[in-house]
Amino acid sequence: MSNLINKAQKTLLGNRRKGYTLPTNNKLYPAQWNWDSAFIALGYSYFNLNYAIKEITTLLDGQWKDGMVPHILFHNPNTNYYPNYTAWNCGNKIRSSGITQPPILATILKLILDKNKISNKQIKEIKKIVKKIIRFHEWFIKFRDPKKTGLVSILHPWESGYDNSPIWDKPMEKVTIEKNLKYKRADNKLIKPDQRPLNIDYDRYVSIKNNLRKNKYNPKEIFKSSLFNVVDVGFNSLFLKANKDLIQISNKFNLETSKISDYVKVTEKNILKLYDKKKGIFFSKDIRNNKKIYIPSITNYFILFADLNNNLINNKLIKNLKNHNKNDKYFFSTIKPSHNSFEENRYWRGPVWINCNWFIYQGLKNKDLKFSNYVKKKTIKLLEKSKFYEYFSCKNGQPMGAKNFSWSASLYLDFKISPN
Ligand code: DGY
């Protein structure tokens, strides 16, 4: 076994706690995160299928009664993380945050099922998992798209997972910061502040959170009154792909998904309304302020992962993608470096993230095999040089953020081992 494959497995095992795995063991993220856990499960599936299933089961144990799967589960109350469970003050069986994160579980589960021999005992577990994911997706359709547009909203930048992306700059400018706000960040004591979001961003994150809390996280209420409401093309691409995957998995178990199938049809049609034909790019929409958002973010290319049946658009996107940061040594930068919002080192405003590369690699495979292999090769090289950090400079590969980062290790395993 190659050394780094071995190290990737050890990284995951080192971050593992009782039935779930931390995004990193350096105290920055001392809880279970939703989309991190999905990537982590994929990593485990290459050497311990039971751990993979357990990771997902534990995450779904935190599902709310209405169907939402929270973005964080606070299994351990004694940590320094902010905002911790007391600041959120919610949860069902497990203390949690009151918002969600990109729903990629169905996609990850499908990959795991396609690649593995599953025992009868595991099949039973998986059927329960699939039922819960269906409820999760139905929650999105019901509460995050009340007008039935085929596109779902996020109500907090943290729901995207790309927390301080410039995509949110304009909608965030409009968020009024609560008076006399008092809280204490922990993240910028653990990681260099120039690699983390700004204080003014946190003031707004906390103000939005407090407003959700004031409305008791009532899903109908908060859709109307959240200080932040955005339809993001990247997020909707991940949801569209996950819906397609969920239908396929559910068919195997004879589970009913007609609501989801109907929704996919509407999404496929209406997501094209976010396409700017002239520029050949997708934009997002600030629902609260009724504005289009044009930011050259790598997450806009997640649409390739959603497999739109439109070669004209796909080809145009791939052409633009090849220019995204072609003059840099490493790709993909989160933001096109020529854009004025680009910052080489700051979290989601410039650095290379392995999960973004992974979505794009997956999206390219059936459209431009040569380029997809190139993306894979370059990503593996970056990880081999800089190891399993959270994010990396696109200029020189400098590793940044947390070390021993679980999803970087997990996706390294997938890039290296997956047969296709
Ligand atoms: C953090 O704490 O930085 C997380 O990304 C929020 O989910």
Side-chain angles (χ1 to χ4, degrees):
M1 201 189 326
S2 100
N3 254 346
L4 209 57
I5 288 186
N6 199 357
K7 189 170 180 299
Q9 296 185 358
K10 282 208 174 116
T11 302
L12 291 180
L13 295 174
N15 293 349
R16 193 164 193 265
R17 299 294 178 265
K18 245 184 141 198
Y20 71 97
T21 307
L22 304 171
T24 165
N25 61 0
N26 81 338
K27 299 201 175 132
L28 181 63
Y29 306 122
Q32 184 178 22
W33 260 260
N34 186 326
W35 72 335
D36 293 74
S37 264
F39 292 122
I40 287 163
L42 182 63
Y44 281 135
S45 72
Y46 291 106
F47 64 103
N48 191 328
L49 190 56
N50 283 331
Y51 279 11
I53 296 172
K54 184 69 186 164
E55 187 73 30
I56 297 175
T57 316
T58 306
L59 180 66
L60 292 170
D61 283 345
Q63 184 166 36
W64 283 16
K65 290 204 181 93
D66 62 10
M68 185 186 81
V69 182
H71 106 292
I72 307 178
L73 298 181
F74 299 105
H75 297 285
N76 173 4
N78 301 318
T79 69
N80 254 339
Y81 181 77
Y82 184 84
N84 206 343
Y85 71 98
T86 49
W88 286 102
N89 192 33
C90 56
N92 182 15
K93 284 181 199 139
I94 304 170
R95 294 174 173 118
S96 74
S97 67
I99 56 174
T100 189
Q101 239 184 353
I104 61 164
L105 266 183
T107 295
I108 297 290
L109 185 64
K110 179 165 184 306
L111 287 174
I112 294 176
L113 296 179
D114 288 349
K115 283 179 204 168
N116 284 281
K117 259 190 96 183
I118 314 285
S119 72
N120 284 341
K121 190 167 162 243
Q122 288 165 338
I123 289 279
K124 272 198 192 144
E125 278 295 310
I126 289 166
K127 186 167 182 183
K128 283 191 212 148
I129 289 176
V130 180
K131 283 186 181 165
K132 290 184 176 181
I133 302 180
I134 293 175
R135 285 191 53 226
F136 181 32
H137 284 217
E138 289 180 350
W139 170 87
F140 260 112
I141 294 170
K142 183 166 175 195
F143 294 117
R144 291 309 180 86
D145 182 16
K147 294 192 182 130
K148 306 276 166 282
T149 64
L151 302 168
V152 294
S153 284
I154 54 168
L155 303 184
H156 194 299
W158 284 338
E159 292 202 307
S160 71
Y162 21 108
D163 303 0
N164 68 338
S165 165
I167 307 171
W168 323 129
D169 285 1
K170 278 269 152 48
M172 284 285 270
E173 265 173 29
K174 297 268 194 248
V175 172
T176 313
I177 295 169
E178 204 180 289
K179 271 193 202 135
N180 306 322
L181 201 57
K182 276 199 194 78
Y183 67 97
K184 221 169 152 187
R185 283 178 76 171
D187 63 299
N188 55 359
K189 318 282 177 306
L190 294 159
I191 300 292
K192 282 192 196 146
D194 70 340
Q195 297 176 12
R196 292 289 305 175
L198 301 171
N199 281 336
I200 184 145
D201 294 326
Y202 261 78
D203 284 353
R204 292 194 166 108
Y205 297 147
V206 176
S207 300
I208 302 169
K209 171 194 78 67
N210 288 351
N211 182 256
L212 300 174
R213 178 175 170 169
K214 215 171 65 204
N215 285 288
K216 301 199 167 63
Y217 306 103
N218 176 310
K220 278 194 187 147
E221 244 355 277
I222 61 175
F223 188 91
K224 286 182 266 170
S225 61
S226 177
L227 306 178
F228 180 97
N229 184 330
V230 173
V231 163
D232 172 57
V233 64
F235 192 96
N236 276 279
S237 303
L238 299 181
F239 188 47
L240 174 56
K241 170 71 170 151
N243 274 329
K244 289 179 181 177
D245 290 336
L246 183 57
I247 293 165
Q248 288 198 39
I249 312 172
S250 304
N251 285 345
K252 289 194 194 159
F253 293 98
N254 283 322
L255 293 169
E256 160 70 27
T257 51
S258 57
K259 263 190 215 149
I260 293 167
S261 309
D262 291 346
Y263 198 71
V264 164
K265 285 185 205 127
V266 188
T267 309
E268 293 223 281
K269 197 166 122 237
N270 286 351
I271 204 160
L272 297 179
K273 293 187 182 158
L274 302 180
Y275 185 63
D276 184 317
K277 246 194 219 154
K278 257 200 214 139
K279 300 195 171 97
I281 50 175
F282 277 84
F283 56 88
S284 294
K285 262 179 100 176
D286 179 349
I287 300 297
R288 189 174 161 84
N289 302 297
N290 195 19
K291 290 254 161 48
K292 290 181 182 173
I293 306 174
Y294 281 96
I295 297 288
S297 167
I298 196 63
T299 56
N300 299 346
Y301 292 95
F302 292 172
I303 193 81
L304 292 167
F305 183 58
D307 281 333
L308 285 189
N309 188 12
N310 188 322
N311 285 340
L312 216 67
I313 293 183
N314 289 337
N315 291 339
K316 178 83 188 161
L317 289 174
I318 292 172
K319 203 171 144 224
N320 285 337
L321 176 65
K322 286 178 177 167
N323 282 320
H324 182 77
N325 70 313
K326 71 164 189 267
N327 296 327
D328 296 315
K329 199 154 174 213
Y330 299 95
F331 59 55
F332 293 104
S333 58
T334 18
I335 299 297
K336 200 174 166 81
S338 54
H339 193 258
N340 56 17
S341 66
F342 172 85
E343 291 180 73
E344 184 186 338
N345 298 342
R346 201 182 296 285
Y347 212 39
W348 290 92
R349 302 179 73 88
V352 176
W353 287 80
I354 301 304
N355 66 335
C356 291
N357 284 17
W358 185 84
F359 286 130
I360 287 176
Y361 162 71
Q362 297 291 334
L364 286 171
K365 273 195 305 194
N366 58 1
K367 301 175 190 72
D368 186 336
L369 188 63
K370 195 166 153 219
F371 189 41
S372 77
N373 279 329
Y374 185 59
V375 172
K376 175 170 164 169
K377 210 174 89 192
K378 292 267 285 188
T379 308
I380 288 175
K381 253 197 161 153
L382 173 60
L383 288 168
E384 291 180 344
K385 170 186 145 79
S386 300
K387 308 296 178 297
F388 305 130
Y389 271 76
E390 191 179 0
Y391 41 98
F392 308 87
S393 155
C394 64
K395 308 280 178 202
N396 55 28
Q398 186 206 329
M400 292 184 282
K403 62 179 178 197
N404 298 317
F405 195 66
S406 298
W407 87 35
S408 299
S410 266
L411 296 176
Y412 179 75
L413 291 174
D414 186 73
F415 275 124
K416 285 293 277 190
I417 306 173
S418 174
N420 45 39

